[in-house]
Amino acid sequence: MSERMYNFSAGPAVLPVSVLKKAQEELLCLPGCGASILEISHRSKQFGEILAQTKQNVRDLLGVPENYKILFLQGGALTQFALIPMNIIRNRDVSADYIVTGNWSKKSASEAKTQGKINVIFDNKEEGYVRKPKDEELHTTPGAAYCYYCANETIEGIQFPREPKVDLPLVCDASSEIFSRPVDIEKYGILYACAQKNAGPAGVTLLIMRDDFVEMSGDDLPSMLSYKKLAEKDSMLNTPPTFGIYIMKLVTDWLKEEGGLQKMYERNLEKAKLLYDVIDASNGFYHVHGQKEYRSFMNVSFRLPTEELDKKFQADAKEYNLTSLGGHRSVGGERASIYNAMPREGVVALRDFMIDFMKKNA
């Protein structure tokens, strides 16, 4: 198959076509290098410039103050689930608070328990993870080091409409919504994201950390597990994921060219509305997993009346060049991931297919 389809995968996910073309154009020989980005040294002047520009792009887009470090790490979000408590609470007589609203925050809390004392201050598992907490439901622990949450649960398709209001520094897994809307970064001790959903390819994780959090890192940790040592070496304690950082540079270049995060936010809300309007007008033929107030504008998770129709929907969608629409195995149904790079035309094509499928099968 040589024709590109509209790829609604939750991750690794769609990248901007212009980014892919630029990478293709430069893959054989990066300008000024005489070699591919896949071949040049991470200590070279050329890669140093790529690293510096990627960091500057992140600062510009998210408004990151100078008292925050920007790191590009390996191991994905799952590694950060353990590294954060390992660095921040393991060797100090403190605990951390966790908000559990879905699969990823649940997994993060489970990993954190291996490294120190954590307090789960909200967990709505019995409700089926259909919503985020109200502010009045959050009661933080006196003396806790941070409050952890996952901004957007990709599996359940629910998202915080804004940061939780708590009296602790926030630590946030923003993997599936990074760069999708403006962020008040000064509310955070740590904000991180694995890249393969909304920022680049699999293999690189962006971590933004306030300086005082960096200093909490224990001196007895192995070098590659110590935020302090990783920060001292500017993400180059060992060979970093050079290609992933290069692609993230191209993605962040693209975001700036497209008008920045407020523009992305407006586009994302409009794209999501196209699908939710069809769902809401379907008289129950399509129904969403999460409560309306907390619906994700990144991952639209929904079901049809029967599993047979779910399977038919996904099979028929491929005939219209709409792919990777299967929901996560834990919730079933469908999931349309409509990250920044998903063009409006792709969402319109899915909307039109949903309307046509309903007419034929309702």
Side-chain angles (χ1 to χ4, degrees):
M1 178 183 292
S2 59
E3 181 184 0
R4 280 182 64 82
M5 303 181 79
Y6 288 120
N7 171 25
F8 293 93
S9 170
V14 62
L15 286 165
V17 171
S18 62
V19 166
L20 294 174
K21 287 181 176 179
K22 181 74 169 177
Q24 181 186 49
E25 176 188 326
E26 296 185 344
L27 187 61
L28 187 63
C29 185
L30 192 67
C33 290
S36 171
I37 179 64
L38 297 170
E39 301 169 316
I40 65 172
S41 169
H42 61 295
R43 304 290 180 189
S44 67
K45 175 178 178 291
Q46 291 88 350
F47 181 73
E49 291 172 350
I50 290 170
L51 181 66
Q53 187 58 60
T54 310
K55 287 171 61 177
Q56 190 58 53
N57 283 355
V58 172
R59 284 200 189 276
D60 293 344
L61 287 164
L62 291 170
V64 180
E66 289 302 318
N67 64 321
Y68 283 73
K69 297 291 188 293
I70 296 174
L71 302 178
F72 302 98
L73 307 178
Q74 300 170 69
L78 185 57
T79 300
Q80 302 310 313
F81 293 172
L83 282 192
I84 290 167
M86 183 187 296
N87 278 265
I88 307 304
I89 67 172
R90 189 173 73 101
N91 285 333
R92 302 166 63 236
D93 188 22
V94 292
S95 63
D97 288 352
Y98 276 67
I99 299 171
V100 176
T101 55
N103 183 275
W104 293 115
S105 49
K106 178 183 176 183
K107 187 169 290 190
S108 183
S110 177
E111 291 289 305
K113 287 176 183 176
T114 70
Q115 300 302 315
K117 178 174 173 50
I118 72 160
N119 318 296
V120 176
I121 63 171
F122 180 86
D123 186 343
N124 64 338
K125 178 181 178 181
E126 292 185 0
E127 296 180 56
Y129 295 132
V130 295
R131 69 180 180 92
K132 299 291 188 176
K134 297 179 173 62
D135 291 334
E136 58 268 24
E137 295 177 284
L138 298 175
H139 305 287
T140 56
T141 305
Y146 60 82
C147 181
Y148 181 102
Y149 76 106
C150 178
N152 179 62
E153 296 278 5
T154 58
I155 292 173
E156 293 81 9
I158 59 170
Q159 189 169 21
F160 275 89
R162 54 167 174 75
E163 299 96 345
K165 288 186 177 179
V166 294
D167 56 358
L168 295 173
L170 293 171
V171 170
C172 178
D173 176 359
S175 293
S176 53
E177 69 153 54
I178 192 76
F179 302 134
S180 69
R181 57 178 169 178
V183 174
D184 185 355
I185 207 76
E186 293 187 78
K187 292 180 179 178
Y188 296 85
I190 302 172
L191 184 138
Y192 72 92
C194 58
Q196 70 268 18
K197 297 176 183 293
N198 215 27
V204 59
T205 298
L206 170 66
L207 186 131
I208 303 166
M209 176 177 281
R210 205 169 66 200
D211 286 346
D212 59 319
F213 271 67
V214 175
E215 292 305 313
M216 293 177 195
S217 182
D219 293 326
D220 64 336
L221 293 176
S223 297
M224 284 300 294
L225 305 181
S226 166
Y227 287 141
K228 187 184 297 184
K229 293 171 184 174
L230 289 162
E232 285 173 354
K233 296 297 183 181
D234 195 20
S235 302
M236 294 208 292
L237 183 60
N238 72 335
T239 305
T242 54
F243 184 72
I245 293 169
Y246 162 75
I247 296 294
M248 192 182 293
K249 176 195 174 295
L250 298 185
V251 170
T252 51
D253 284 343
W254 173 78
L255 286 166
K256 293 173 79 171
E257 291 165 3
E258 292 293 307
L261 302 193
Q262 183 60 37
K263 185 61 119 179
M264 282 294 120
Y265 184 42
E266 292 165 6
R267 288 187 192 176
N268 288 329
L269 290 178
E270 197 266 340
K271 288 189 300 184
K273 187 176 186 298
L274 291 172
L275 301 185
Y276 286 125
D277 281 353
V278 172
I279 292 168
D280 290 340
S282 71
N283 293 317
F285 184 76
Y286 299 112
H287 55 281
V288 178
H289 175 79
Q291 292 181 6
K292 190 169 186 176
E293 184 180 353
Y294 305 99
R295 288 174 177 176
S296 171
F297 60 77
M298 291 279 94
N299 310 95
V300 180
S301 181
F302 62 98
R303 297 186 66 97
L304 279 78
T306 67
E307 287 188 15
E308 290 73 19
L309 278 174
D310 285 330
K311 293 176 183 177
K312 179 174 174 54
F313 180 94
Q314 293 164 36
D316 289 1
K318 291 179 181 177
E319 300 300 316
Y320 290 82
N321 289 336
L322 308 169
T323 189
S324 301
L325 282 163
H328 190 272
R329 60 186 177 276
S330 63
V331 298
E334 284 64 48
R335 174 173 54 178
S337 297
I338 50 175
Y339 300 125
N340 286 343
M342 172 56 67
R344 186 180 186 278
E345 311 90 81
V347 182
V348 169
L350 175 58
R351 177 202 63 185
D352 293 348
F353 169 74
M354 290 172 69
I355 293 170
D356 185 61
F357 187 85
M358 180 173 59
K359 287 178 180 176
K360 294 176 178 176
N361 295 277

